[in-house]
Amino acid sequence: MWPYILKRILMMIPTLLGVLTLTFVVIQFVPGGPVEQLMLQLKGRGGGGVGVQGMEASGAGSDYRGRRGVDPQQIAQIRALYGFDKPPLQRYWLMLKRFARFDLGQSYYQHQSVWSLIKSKLPVSISLGLWTFFLTYLISVPLGIAKAVRAGSRFDFATSLLVLTGYAIPGFVLGVLLLVLFGGGTFWQLFPLRGLTSDDWDQLSLVGKVLDYLWHMVLPVTASVIGSFAVTTMLTKNAFLDEIRKQYVLTARAKGLPERRVLWKHVFRNAMIPLVTGFPSAFIGAFFTSSLLIETLFSLDGLGLLSYDSVLRRDYPVVLGTLYLFTLIGLVTKLISDLCYVLVDPRIQFERLER
């Protein structure tokens, strides 16, 4: 297994370089970069935006000469401020050197390191991600088992209709509906409209803080989790049905074993292999795949909103830094998922599969 792990790790390097290189090349041709945006601020004010203040703090000045536009010397200072005075190839190598040290750089507009921005947004993404992950598996796995045992029954048909209906409804549409019904839109004001906590959260007791947090999470988590039930439920059901029809199950029943023992001791272990091996990807992915529309709808400032704003504002260090981090985490998680196959089923040998 160790040669396989080493080979996968070595394959991560060109994959990661390919993603970063492609993104860096695309960035070179995207109009409206930080230099152009700062020049527009200078023309439109005289100055006063965040970028202008950052330029003044760096000593670049902010004089605007009316119809003659921005002084060429100032343009050169602006390009140097953002590092665009260097050739693209040199900037590319400098970026790779920083990333090799896990230095993600500094944001152009928020005057913070990319690491600080990611850490500040993580609580929102972790809250949405963990609740979505745990509720999905806690509900979908038992429901899928029950559907497999009662395959073809009215219960199977009714639950399939419900989970597929939830899957067909986009999360942001469901979120709007929940706000209208329970957020004080038209009917009942049972839950808050925005945020993770109330304004007086610091003044609450420990129990009050927990209840306030849960109260705020009901609507966004509901909007996020409903669409996740269908895939896990149907995967569990189909995996159990495949195992139930195998010869070893018929043999166990023929020996007179109780149906409960056959189901939970023999079928359960084999049927759960595809679900267990997907745990690492689902668990890690839950932190970074929260819906941008859900975050916007419920005013939750998470990683999705950070990435979206960074693309719109051409905040390239944040775009490239978050892309590098998320891609690296995705590649490592994929490797862990593959290794989980061996832990769950020791009969799998990667060396034999490669031959």
Side-chain angles (χ1 to χ4, degrees), residues 29 125 131 172 200 218 265-266 283:
F29 300 98
S125 298
W131 281 114
F172 71 93
D200 59 345
V218 170
K265 185 176 181 180
H266 297 279
F283 185 76

Side-chain angles (χ1 to χ4, degrees), residues 117-132 194-197 213 217 220-221 224 286-292 294-296 298-306:
L117 288 173
I118 292 176
K119 291 177 183 178
S120 66
K121 310 301 181 183
L122 268 180
V124 172
S125 298
I126 289 176
S127 297
L128 283 176
L130 283 182
W131 281 114
T132 301
R194 58 178 60 87
L196 284 180
T197 56
Y213 165 76
M217 290 303 298
V221 169
S224 300
F287 296 158
F288 305 108
T289 56
S290 57
S291 173
L292 166 64
I294 294 296
E295 291 182 6
T296 305
F298 292 97
S299 299
L300 302 174
D301 191 9
L303 291 173
L305 199 57
L306 171 66

Side-chain angles (χ1 to χ4, degrees), residues 173-194 215-220 222-223 226 298:
V173 174
L174 180 61
V176 172
L177 179 62
L178 291 174
L179 285 176
V180 171
L181 290 177
F182 305 112
T186 304
F187 296 92
W188 305 282
Q189 189 172 359
L190 302 178
F191 299 100
L193 291 174
R194 58 178 60 87
W215 182 48
H216 280 75
M217 290 303 298
V218 170
L219 295 187
T222 302
I226 292 298
F298 292 97

Side-chain angles (χ1 to χ4, degrees), residues 114-281:
V114 178
W115 277 115
S116 300
L117 288 173
I118 292 176
K119 291 177 183 178
S120 66
K121 310 301 181 183
L122 268 180
V124 172
S125 298
I126 289 176
S127 297
L128 283 176
L130 283 182
W131 281 114
T132 301
F133 173 80
F134 284 119
L135 288 177
T136 297
Y137 276 89
L138 287 175
I139 295 174
S140 298
V141 172
L143 179 60
I145 295 173
K147 287 171 63 61
V149 174
R150 301 173 177 83
S153 64
R154 293 182 178 178
F155 172 80
D156 183 28
F157 175 78
T159 52
S160 295
L161 182 62
L162 286 175
V163 297
L164 292 176
T165 300
Y167 181 74
I169 300 176
F172 71 93
V173 174
L174 180 61
V176 172
L177 179 62
L178 291 174
L179 285 176
V180 171
L181 290 177
F182 305 112
T186 304
F187 296 92
W188 305 282
Q189 189 172 359
L190 302 178
F191 299 100
L193 291 174
R194 58 178 60 87
L196 284 180
T197 56
S198 301
D199 295 335
D200 59 345
W201 191 77
D202 292 333
Q203 304 174 6
L204 300 175
S205 64
L206 178 60
V207 176
K209 290 180 178 179
V210 173
L211 294 177
D212 181 75
Y213 165 76
L214 295 176
W215 182 48
H216 280 75
M217 290 303 298
V218 170
L219 295 187
V221 169
T222 302
S224 300
V225 79
I226 292 298
S228 305
F229 287 149
V231 175
T232 308
T233 299
M234 302 309 293
L235 178 61
T236 305
K237 174 191 173 183
N238 294 333
F240 265 76
L241 286 177
D242 289 341
E243 294 297 325
I244 289 174
R245 294 165 182 167
K246 291 184 177 179
Q247 185 64 41
Y248 75 90
V249 177
L250 298 177
T251 303
R253 288 172 175 171
K255 291 181 178 180
L257 294 179
E259 186 66 20
R260 181 179 294 272
R261 185 177 180 183
V262 173
L263 182 64
W264 294 104
K265 185 176 181 180
H266 297 279
V267 177
F268 183 79
R269 179 180 178 181
N270 294 322
M272 290 302 292
I273 289 178
L275 292 174
V276 171
T277 52
F279 276 0
S281 297

Side-chain angles (χ1 to χ4, degrees), residues 104-115:
L104 303 184
Q106 297 283 328
S107 170
Y108 286 155
Y109 300 103
Q110 304 192 48
H111 308 298
Q112 298 182 50
S113 67
V114 178
W115 277 115

